[in-house]
Amino acid sequence: MALSSRHLLGLYGVPKEDIQLILDTATTFREVLERPIKKVPTLQGKTIVNLFYENSTRTRISFELAQKRLSADTINFSTSTSSTKKGETFKDTVRNIEAMKVDMIVVRHQSAGVPHFLTRITKANIINAGDGLHEHPTQALLDMYSIREKFGTLKGLNICIVGDIAHSRVAMSNIFGLKTMGANVSVCGPSTMIPMGIESLGVKVLNDIDKAIANNDVLNVLRIQLERDAGRRIPTTREYHNYFGITTERIERNNKNIVILHPGPINRGVEISSEVADGPYQIILDQVTNGVAIRMAVLYLLGTMVN
Amino acid sequence: MKIILKQVILFNPYQKLNEKNDLLIEDGIIKKIGGLTDEEWKSSKIFDFENKYCVPGLFDMHVHLREPGREDEETIETGCNAAAAGGFTEIACMPNTNPCIENAEVVRFIKDKAQHHLVEVYPIGAATVERKGEALSPMYELFEAGAVAFSDDGNAIKNAGILRHALEYSKMFDAPIIEHCEDESLSNGAMNEGVVSTILGLPAIPNIAEDLIVIRDILMAEFTGAKVHIAHVSSKNAVEFIRQAKKKNIKVTAEVTPHHFTLTDESLKTYDTNFKMSPPLRTQEDIDAIIEGLKDGTIDCIASDHAPHSIEEKEMEFIFAPNGIIGLETQLGLALSELVHKKHLSFSQLIEKLSINPRKILNLPVPLIKTGEKANLTIIDPDLIWTVDVSKFKSKSKNSPFDKRLLTGKSLAVINKGKMFFEDKFFDI
């Protein structure tokens, strides 16, 4: 079995079989992570560049760890400044890196579409580690993996994504992936944070968090990104917490069987209370562990593909 | 030199002319139509354009020539060459050069540079100093030097009070203010706002950013009694607002670009920056409204918004890439393919929108196909099938989303100022 594309640019349009293959492959690697020696020689001799143009700690570490577990050689290129601002074009930077004979590029960038652009200017396999407000496919895959681990399936589950949908690449990848896998997806948040046309993607829109908790099996709670545009879309974080925050009281009142995911980092007391973030409903740390397995699966499937 | 256009269809809706005949041009003047003598046939260079159309030279009233300032992207010379190759004998160029067109010297510089070219260039002056929207430019001086209209193109005139005065002032010499309609507080984006921008995760610009300024400008045109020309209309509501304004006899005119009646925001799905433009590509609903507007005369003319950008500038991260595409060499082919061959417009309506109406808007004479008149002509084969190849374009830049597209209809030759462009060559006639 092989993936239908030699890149992972997003989950939009990715066939069910590919997602299934990645999730199943991750199950094997999840087992590797439990061994005393957590390393396999699968990508020995492959060179992978982690091209991070935007600050990231957990995603970069997760990818790097996944690469090391697969015995690949890795190079980290991190900058929070666009190359264009330094006088060199992004294309030139990438061409230089490629000239060092790399096989795969894991890219995070503040501009949507950069992974697509990379496929046109390099021969390497490209993995999107988050591009602007577009997609973050490995995060969605690890979310799906964690949900599947909990429920045994994704098909028919009611899953609601809560928060700033308009500014979330995690939300978009989750919507595309979960819909493909047969889940019923809804979004919940203030109207200012719901992007235009989302209903036409087959997603239900809610503005009432109590209903969202009552009617769903899973809530995927997003971080309110105050450093981006979110601050202009809600009056105060206090008001947001009062009307959309996930608290133990709300959960116990509406649905004690709910499972809470959060991609991190958490704004405690804003989108989620500390009690919930550390409590019995959440599977947040499972997500982190599963993230390494998912990234190993993606790297393995793309890295061993015969081009 | 004498040339004969043999058995060409002489076509000018402005004169209600539609006849097949031989046309003799001598020293750039239309000497005779039909009834040519043996001597005239013998002593002339003959161009067999049988069943091809000969129309008054096409006019593009929205072109960016980049000189002075960005000669690496386009010069007056290369822009004029591109215009001739696209079938245009006259163009008007926007003021967002560096320095911008805000004093008589720059107007004269542009006119001087184009003086010996077949293509006539009419500069459009900045409406405000440095196009900042804060203080009026010396419009009278610009007008006297040869500016035919005023615009802060790239932006709307931000301040309504300044817009009012710009309109009142320009009314003295009946020149239109050309407006790029976009409310900046709503336009901080890289594409049209809708389901496609949601899927692509790109910051987006809603239609209402355009609609608000169109409404403001229409009201201001009514209030001042001056002329407003709405550049590159892209939204459905804007078309309707202009339609209603025209019914009230408000002095408003409008143009649309070929890309706005050809492409939707779906084209951006590959993040190709050649589809990034301002205003952004909208939806099929907007295209349908634009085509209706073209049909019923709400939209007066078609203009390219020819915006050359270097490859280095366009080949970068989508949100950092500049807006705009080149259009002079694809405009006629796209208009014929998408509007005439799909039966939205007649050939006659198309010629009005590509030749006659732009001149009327800018108060310039429409060339006549008549004995004694200067020959200012475009020869068109509306059925010629050709493939767009940007590598062969005369424009210095290559930023076109239409590369490799199959089009039906092309200009074969242009004649103006005693010169002819035919089969890729310029020569005196």
Side-chain angles (χ1 to χ4, degrees):
Chain A
M1 281 282 281
L3 295 175
S4 58
S5 166
R6 55 182 290 262
H7 308 291
L8 180 67
L9 306 178
L11 293 187
Y12 183 74
V14 171
K16 189 177 174 181
E17 295 70 29
D18 281 12
I19 294 175
Q20 193 74 45
L21 179 60
I22 295 168
L23 298 181
D24 292 346
T25 309
T27 310
T28 317
F29 287 120
R30 182 73 180 76
E31 186 266 318
V32 170
L33 296 177
E34 299 301 330
R35 293 180 195 168
I37 296 169
K38 305 172 180 60
K39 197 159 178 156
V40 289
T42 322
L43 292 187
Q44 208 162 36
K46 295 275 181 187
T47 308
I48 305 172
V49 175
N50 297 311
L51 192 61
F52 276 61
Y53 272 86
E54 194 181 63
N55 290 333
S56 160
T57 308
R58 62 193 67 208
T59 303
R60 191 176 54 76
I61 290 173
S62 183
F63 265 110
E64 208 177 324
L65 203 56
Q67 291 153 7
K68 289 187 194 308
R69 300 273 192 247
L70 295 169
S71 306
D73 297 318
T74 64
I75 301 161
N76 292 316
F77 180 97
S78 297
T79 172
S80 56
T81 315
S82 163
S83 52
T84 51
K85 292 193 178 127
K86 294 188 289 180
E88 182 180 53
T89 67
F90 180 69
K91 187 179 171 183
D92 282 340
T93 308
V94 171
R95 283 268 169 88
N96 272 290
I97 290 169
E98 196 189 28
M100 298 173 200
K101 305 295 174 196
V102 304
D103 301 296
M104 301 174 84
I105 297 176
V106 176
V107 61
R108 166 168 286 198
H109 201 285
Q110 61 271 50
S111 173
V114 161
H116 291 73
F117 180 45
L118 281 175
T119 64
R120 292 197 286 269
I121 58 173
T122 88
K123 294 188 183 77
N125 302 90
I126 307 299
I127 299 172
N128 182 0
D131 61 330
L133 308 179
H134 177 221
E135 286 219 41
H136 192 355
T138 56
Q139 176 68 45
L141 287 163
L142 75 88
D143 291 345
M144 287 193 276
Y145 183 91
S146 304
I147 298 168
R148 195 178 76 159
E149 195 175 46
K150 189 84 185 170
F151 291 89
T153 183
L154 292 165
K155 194 170 168 31
L157 283 181
N158 295 319
I159 299 169
C160 183
I161 305 164
V162 182
D164 187 358
I165 315 300
H167 288 91
S168 176
R169 52 196 174 207
V170 175
M172 294 319 294
S173 286
N174 261 281
I175 289 168
F176 302 139
L178 288 167
K179 292 289 300 171
T180 303
M181 299 310 284
N184 304 311
V185 183
S186 56
V187 294
C188 179
S191 306
T192 46
M193 292 178 161
I194 306 295
M196 194 179 260
I198 194 134
E199 295 91 340
S200 60
L201 301 175
V203 173
K204 212 164 123 186
V205 175
L206 301 167
N207 298 120
D208 183 338
I209 193 66
D210 287 298
K211 278 188 187 156
I213 296 172
N215 300 330
N216 281 284
D217 304 301
V218 178
L219 291 191
N220 195 348
V221 185
L222 304 174
R223 191 169 73 87
I224 298 301
Q225 300 187 53
L226 294 165
E227 74 279 13
R228 292 198 176 174
D229 192 36
R232 291 203 305 146
R233 297 183 182 230
I234 51 170
T236 60
T237 51
R238 180 173 163 269
E239 176 151 318
Y240 182 85
H241 185 69
N242 286 344
Y243 291 94
F244 294 95
I246 313 298
T247 62
T248 308
E249 188 272 320
R250 273 208 162 106
I251 292 173
E252 289 185 349
R253 178 156 40 95
N254 290 296
N255 179 3
K256 287 181 184 168
N257 296 319
I258 198 94
V259 170
I260 307 284
L261 280 82
H262 192 300
I266 300 167
N267 290 314
R268 289 171 183 260
V270 182
E271 68 266 6
I272 194 165
S273 71
S274 258
E275 217 181 351
V276 175
D278 301 325
Y281 305 104
Q282 57 80 27
I283 53 167
I284 297 170
L285 291 177
D286 294 337
Q287 288 175 268
V288 178
T289 311
N290 294 337
V292 179
I294 279 290
R295 284 164 183 135
M296 285 172 81
V298 170
L299 289 161
Y300 163 75
L301 289 167
L302 295 179
T304 54
M305 196 178 252
V306 180
N307 295 330
Chain B
M1 185 177 173
K2 281 194 278 191
I3 66 164
I4 292 171
L5 311 183
K6 186 181 162 190
Q7 288 298 291
V8 75
I9 301 168
L10 304 168
F11 192 87
N12 187 351
Y14 188 69
Q15 296 168 256
K16 298 191 168 52
L17 175 69
N18 183 2
E19 67 173 60
K20 190 170 166 181
N21 218 327
D22 303 312
L23 185 81
L24 174 67
I25 298 168
E26 190 173 349
D27 299 327
I29 305 290
I30 299 173
K31 204 79 181 173
K32 213 168 171 185
I33 296 173
L36 306 186
T37 63
D38 287 349
E39 162 55 25
E40 283 164 338
W41 283 104
K42 268 186 218 158
S43 59
S44 304
K45 187 172 166 58
I46 296 161
F47 294 88
D48 187 355
F49 288 135
E50 186 163 1
N51 293 327
K52 311 304 177 208
Y53 283 82
C54 174
V55 303
L58 304 185
F59 192 111
D60 189 338
M61 66 175 291
H62 193 145
V63 171
H64 297 270
L65 288 179
R66 303 291 185 227
E67 187 180 5
R70 284 303 303 267
E71 292 82 356
D72 60 313
E73 294 183 329
E74 195 80 284
T75 63
I76 292 162
E77 172 80 13
T78 59
C80 285
N81 290 345
F88 297 88
T89 57
E90 300 183 341
I91 57 177
C93 63
M94 281 295 174
N96 57 342
T97 47
N98 185 18
C100 78
I101 309 177
E102 61 175 0
N103 58 57
E105 282 71 27
V106 183
V107 174
R108 283 194 282 268
F109 167 81
I110 292 167
K111 289 192 83 69
D112 285 352
K113 279 257 176 176
Q115 195 185 352
H116 300 292
H117 202 281
L118 178 153
V119 173
E120 189 74 61
V121 178
Y122 296 96
I124 294 166
T128 68
V129 175
E130 292 178 20
R131 301 187 304 109
K132 284 183 177 168
E134 292 162 2
L136 293 185
S137 72
M139 282 195 254
Y140 220 134
E141 176 190 312
L142 290 164
F143 178 73
E144 288 214 306
V148 290
F150 302 94
S151 180
D152 280 359
D153 188 50
N155 305 100
I157 298 174
K158 286 173 219 166
N159 182 308
I162 295 293
L163 172 65
R164 171 193 175 165
H165 294 316
L167 284 164
E168 288 168 339
Y169 202 78
S170 67
K171 204 175 148 187
M172 290 192 293
F173 26 89
D174 201 29
I177 299 287
I178 302 176
E179 275 279 84
H180 172 121
C181 293
E182 195 171 56
D183 183 309
E184 284 184 24
S185 68
L186 287 163
S187 66
N188 186 23
M191 67 173 293
N192 178 55
E193 184 168 337
V195 68
V196 182
S197 67
T198 296
I199 291 168
L200 296 181
L202 285 169
I205 305 166
N207 280 22
I208 199 164
E210 177 168 327
D211 302 341
L212 281 175
I213 301 296
V214 169
I215 279 282
R216 181 197 73 164
D217 289 0
I218 287 170
L219 290 172
M220 204 62 89
E222 183 178 31
F223 177 65
T224 58
K227 285 181 179 172
V228 165
H229 176 76
I230 311 292
H232 41 52
V233 173
S234 73
S235 92
K236 179 187 166 187
N237 283 343
V239 176
E240 183 55 28
F241 297 150
I242 296 162
R243 182 177 288 123
Q244 295 308 322
K246 285 193 163 182
K247 279 185 189 160
K248 288 176 75 180
N249 294 321
I250 298 170
K251 290 177 184 165
V252 59
T253 52
E255 75 191 29
V256 67
T257 71
H259 43 276
H260 286 118
F261 61 69
T262 308
L263 303 169
T264 69
D265 56 0
E266 297 272 341
S267 317
L268 275 79
K269 281 191 169 166
T270 58
Y271 293 94
D272 183 344
T273 55
N274 283 320
F275 292 93
K276 187 182 178 192
M277 40 202 106
S278 175
L281 298 173
R282 307 279 189 193
T283 64
Q284 191 58 47
E285 203 183 1
D286 296 295
I287 289 184
D288 294 343
I290 283 167
I291 289 174
E292 277 310 306
L294 280 163
K295 277 177 167 171
D296 70 10
T298 300
I299 295 172
D300 304 85
C301 61
I302 298 167
S304 67
D305 192 4
H306 180 81
H309 290 294
S310 65
I311 289 168
E312 306 83 78
E313 279 188 316
K314 272 288 192 184
E315 272 197 336
M316 63 164 66
E317 302 95 311
F318 197 91
I319 56 170
F320 299 132
N323 287 311
I325 61 165
I326 53 168
L328 279 165
E329 289 162 89
T330 48
Q331 180 163 206
L332 176 62
L334 285 164
L336 281 162
S337 302
E338 296 296 317
L339 302 175
V340 177
H341 292 301
K342 290 187 178 173
K343 308 217 179 297
H344 297 305
L345 292 187
S346 66
F347 185 70
S348 175
Q349 283 175 304
L350 185 74
I351 297 310
E352 285 184 353
K353 291 179 199 298
L354 277 172
S355 176
I356 296 163
N357 292 349
R359 290 183 170 95
K360 282 186 183 170
I361 292 165
L362 299 174
N363 302 317
L364 294 167
V366 177
L368 302 176
I369 304 175
K370 193 175 161 190
T371 308
E373 294 286 331
K374 283 182 188 164
N376 182 341
L377 306 164
T378 301
I379 315 299
I380 296 170
D381 181 346
D383 300 314
L384 181 72
I385 296 169
W386 60 292
T387 305
V388 177
D389 180 355
V390 292
S391 70
K392 291 185 180 154
F393 276 6
K394 302 287 174 200
S395 176
K396 210 165 184 178
S397 292
K398 308 295 171 203
N399 51 312
S400 168
F402 298 110
D403 193 28
K404 309 286 182 282
R405 191 174 175 119
L406 204 65
L407 297 179
T408 306
K410 200 175 190 308
S411 159
L412 300 179
V414 286
I415 296 167
N416 191 28
K417 293 182 5 189
K419 297 180 200 312
M420 183 167 183
F421 177 78
F422 176 62
E423 290 185 334
D424 221 25
K425 286 191 264 312
F426 287 95
F427 48 90
D428 291 325
I429 56 169

